[in-house]
Amino acid sequence: MEVLLLGPVRGNLERFLGLIEVSNPDVVVSLGTHGFEQLVKIPQRWFYSRGKGDRIEVLSRSSGIDFMSRIFKTKEGVVFSGVSGVYNPSTAKFTRSEWIRIKGKIGRSKINSIFKEDVENLIALFLKSGEKRLNFLVVSDAPDKPVFKEILEITKPEYVFYPSNVYKKERVGNSTFVGLEPIESPLGKYILRFC
């Protein structure tokens, strides 16, 4: 099984589709920001993690599957997950319903923020799954943000993918952290192969 992981697309649909066509992976995973203005349909299974400026209505009607703090397992036994959205210190303290009760609504600037239940749901699902660790975890923000600490400690991912301005690959404990540049860069893609 082959997984193509793509850095922020930032509206470059032509490059996005071109990389998928050339690689022809079994699974496509993309990190926000996508910046899509139109619906996107591809034949492969496609998972995405939303970035700050992404339009939910466009992504939700495209053929991709929003990570939204879910756990996925392929028939080959590859276990992976992701957190959609970006860290915001004010939203990370509240669930969406608490935020709405206090503030009245979730404003446009916070719609793609990570809320408390995103972290809690991912951890609860992982613990319920009985898995020992994730093969990979995808986030749309820097993994050193405080909101990801507990997720990383509990899921113990082999790989963590996140958007970065420069390509980075470093080993921290038992995890390999890979910062992917935007897809226009030759370092904006990564291929994982599982036997």
Side-chain angles (χ1 to χ4, degrees):
M1 180 184 141
E2 195 169 272
V3 180
L4 172 65
L5 292 113
L6 299 171
V9 179
R10 296 185 181 164
N12 194 339
L13 181 58
E14 186 177 326
R15 176 86 167 145
F16 176 77
L17 296 174
L19 287 170
I20 294 168
E21 184 179 339
V22 168
S23 302
N24 196 26
D26 300 299
V27 174
V28 176
V29 174
S30 57
L31 317 169
T33 298
H34 293 86
F36 294 140
E37 296 295 323
Q38 64 190 47
L39 301 184
V40 178
K41 306 278 185 184
I42 62 172
Q44 291 89 345
R45 288 192 73 197
W46 165 37
F47 300 87
Y48 63 84
S49 179
R50 286 179 276 115
K52 185 173 184 174
D54 283 324
R55 292 178 49 205
I56 294 175
E57 66 277 6
V58 172
L59 282 170
S60 66
R61 292 193 342 254
S62 294
S63 64
I65 300 165
D66 193 336
F67 275 116
M68 290 183 62
S69 304
R70 296 186 274 183
I71 306 289
F72 298 93
K73 185 173 184 173
T74 68
K75 62 183 178 192
E76 296 84 2
V78 178
V79 182
F80 60 98
S81 187
V83 180
S84 252
V86 292
Y87 173 69
N88 182 315
S90 61
T91 63
K93 299 174 193 171
F94 301 98
T95 65
R96 284 173 182 81
S97 60
E98 289 169 342
W99 183 270
I100 290 169
R101 192 174 64 249
I102 295 166
K103 305 282 185 176
K105 67 177 185 171
I106 299 173
R108 188 165 181 79
S109 66
K110 302 220 180 353
I111 199 81
N112 287 336
S113 295
I114 297 170
F115 285 83
K116 188 169 136 182
E117 75 240 32
D118 299 325
V119 173
E120 291 172 346
N121 290 344
L122 176 58
I123 289 170
L125 288 170
F126 179 77
L127 293 173
K128 189 176 178 181
S129 76
E131 298 292 333
K132 293 189 182 352
R133 72 185 302 194
L134 293 174
N135 291 105
F136 65 91
L137 175 72
V138 176
V139 296
S140 286
D141 208 335
D144 60 351
K145 300 280 174 89
V147 72
F148 300 119
K149 185 176 189 252
E150 189 177 9
I151 293 171
L152 293 169
E153 287 173 358
I154 291 172
T155 65
K156 301 174 183 65
E158 291 177 52
Y159 289 89
V160 177
F161 293 94
Y162 62 96
S164 180
N165 291 326
V166 294
Y167 177 82
K168 298 177 187 175
K169 185 175 181 180
E170 61 184 330
R171 188 95 173 141
V172 179
N174 291 323
S175 298
T176 300
F177 287 75
V178 181
L180 294 175
E181 293 180 353
I183 64 165
E184 3 353 294
S185 164
L187 302 174
K189 66 182 185 320
Y190 196 95
I191 295 178
L192 278 178
R193 289 182 181 90
F194 297 96
C195 299

